[in-house]
Amino acid sequence: MDDLTKSAFLNRPDLHVGTEGEFAGWRTWSRNSFLSHNGPFWHRMDDDGQMRCAFRVEKKHLNGMSNVHGGAFMAFADYCLFAIAAPVLEGPGVTVSFACEFLDAAREGELVEGSGEITRAGGSLIFLRGLLKSGERSLFTFSGTIKRVKRRAPAVAGSTTK
Amino acid sequence: MDDLTKSAFLNRPDLHVGTEGEFAGWRTWSRNSFLSHNGPFWHRMDDDGQMRCAFRVEKKHLNGMSNVHGGAFMAFADYCLFAIAAPVLEGPGVTVSFACEFLDAAREGELVEGSGEITRAGGSLIFLRGLLKSGERSLFTFSGTIKRVKRRAPAVAGSTTK
């Protein structure tokens, strides 16, 4: 990671840093009704430059069998795409495709962690893949594509996408 | 549709029927924290036997650009999988894979409608595909696979999955 990409990662205007509890020092994005409603989802960059994402499973994430609902995994994985892409995204973007496999269930109280990698960062499209785990247990694999959104006018505060 | 499958569609114990507003007469599933939190999402079977699903976009579904968040589309599409599969599912099931493309954005107040078809219903796996639209505008295509969950013990109330 050079200073330029670290700076882009840090400069999103809606960035919020946790100040207490288990996610003190982790980051999230606050200008997003859907994620605020379903999160908080968190991310941070480890010293090795790898992005780590996490959320603690609450009752609101569960399905009728008291497992994490598929939609909750998918919403968190979409968040992970943008966290993993953040160092190279440098502006707004939208998900254009997403695919996943459900490997195992997670229950209330578990810590779900997401990690992944950029498989290609082009001028228009960023391709990614990732994995959600609870401890050593693999829960969910995913891949997705983000399209960079061209700014049509001078940058407006709050125009970031996710 | 014969009477047996219609009966299976109607008999899920957590089925709730809307009694007022634009979704009066539509059905939803109520024993599900994640869907209750993000919905209500609704479904009904038309006279031609086609399943129709719908939700009205609220602020809680939006991302930072005031478009429907990708995770909200995916959560609703997962709901659609189970609604479309309901006539042949006849018991609990879990999503094992899902894929989608994001074609266009939707805004607060729009009615997002989902429809689709079972592409194969096997003894273990049910394959489906679908489309989300707002009016005549296509928003999102998806495909998914549901695995039937074998009951290990006599049926327990509330053991349905989605």
Side-chain angles (χ1 to χ4, degrees):
Chain A
M1 302 296 307
D2 61 30
D3 286 343
L4 181 67
T5 55
K6 273 208 167 167
S7 165
F9 166 61
L10 291 171
N11 281 346
R12 235 181 92 159
D14 58 345
L15 197 65
H16 170 75
V17 181
T19 56
E20 58 186 22
E22 65 179 327
F23 295 109
W26 291 65
R27 294 152 190 281
T28 192
W29 294 305
S30 57
R31 299 176 73 92
N32 191 312
S33 298
F34 181 79
L35 291 182
S36 299
H37 189 63
N38 284 285
F41 299 146
W42 298 94
H43 65 280
R44 73 176 185 201
M45 192 182 288
D46 282 348
D47 292 339
D48 60 1
Q50 292 293 305
M51 194 67 75
R52 285 184 63 206
C53 306
F55 78 104
R56 181 70 64 180
V57 178
E58 300 175 34
K59 197 172 294 298
K60 68 182 178 183
H61 301 123
L62 303 181
N63 64 22
M65 290 183 82
S66 298
N67 294 319
V68 173
H69 190 277
F73 276 147
M74 294 196 284
F76 177 60
D78 188 63
Y79 175 93
C80 293
L81 289 182
F82 280 79
I84 297 164
V88 303
L89 190 51
E90 299 176 339
V94 295
T95 311
V96 293
S97 69
F98 181 87
C100 60
E101 293 84 40
F102 298 79
L103 310 179
D104 205 350
R107 315 281 286 189
E108 187 175 357
E110 286 191 70
L111 181 72
V112 176
E113 295 182 284
S115 61
E117 60 190 330
I118 297 167
T119 48
R120 176 161 190 244
S124 171
L125 298 178
I126 302 171
F127 300 85
L128 306 106
R129 64 177 183 174
L131 171 65
L132 306 186
K133 299 180 78 168
S134 174
E136 291 304 306
R137 204 156 46 85
S138 294
L139 302 176
F140 181 99
T141 55
F142 62 99
S143 61
T145 309
I146 292 172
K147 184 177 185 301
R148 300 176 193 272
V149 174
K150 302 284 187 295
R151 294 179 195 272
R152 291 178 191 162
V156 175
S159 68
T160 48
T161 304
K162 291 282 168 174
Chain B
M1 302 295 308
D2 60 30
D3 286 343
L4 181 66
T5 55
K6 273 206 169 169
S7 166
F9 166 61
L10 291 171
N11 281 347
R12 236 182 90 158
D14 57 344
L15 197 64
H16 170 75
V17 181
T19 55
E20 57 185 24
E22 65 179 327
F23 295 110
W26 290 65
R27 292 153 191 282
T28 192
W29 294 305
S30 58
R31 299 177 73 92
N32 191 312
S33 297
F34 181 80
L35 291 182
S36 299
H37 189 65
N38 284 285
F41 299 146
W42 298 94
H43 65 279
R44 74 177 185 199
M45 192 182 287
D46 283 347
D47 292 340
D48 60 2
Q50 293 293 304
M51 195 68 75
R52 284 185 62 206
C53 305
F55 78 105
R56 181 69 65 180
V57 178
E58 300 174 35
K59 198 172 294 295
K60 68 182 178 184
H61 300 123
L62 303 181
N63 65 22
M65 290 184 83
S66 298
N67 295 318
V68 173
H69 190 278
F73 275 146
M74 293 195 285
F76 176 60
D78 189 64
Y79 175 93
C80 292
L81 289 182
F82 280 78
I84 297 164
V88 303
L89 190 52
E90 299 174 340
V94 293
T95 311
V96 292
S97 69
F98 181 86
C100 61
E101 293 84 40
F102 298 80
L103 311 179
D104 205 351
R107 315 281 286 190
E108 188 175 356
E110 287 191 68
L111 181 72
V112 175
E113 295 182 286
S115 61
E117 60 190 332
I118 297 166
T119 48
R120 177 160 189 243
S124 172
L125 298 177
I126 303 172
F127 300 84
L128 307 105
R129 62 177 183 174
L131 171 66
L132 306 186
K133 300 178 77 169
S134 174
E136 290 305 307
R137 204 157 44 86
S138 293
L139 303 175
F140 181 99
T141 54
F142 62 98
S143 60
T145 309
I146 293 172
K147 184 177 187 303
R148 301 176 193 273
V149 175
K150 303 283 187 296
R151 294 179 196 274
R152 292 178 191 162
V156 175
S159 68
T160 48
T161 304
K162 292 283 166 172

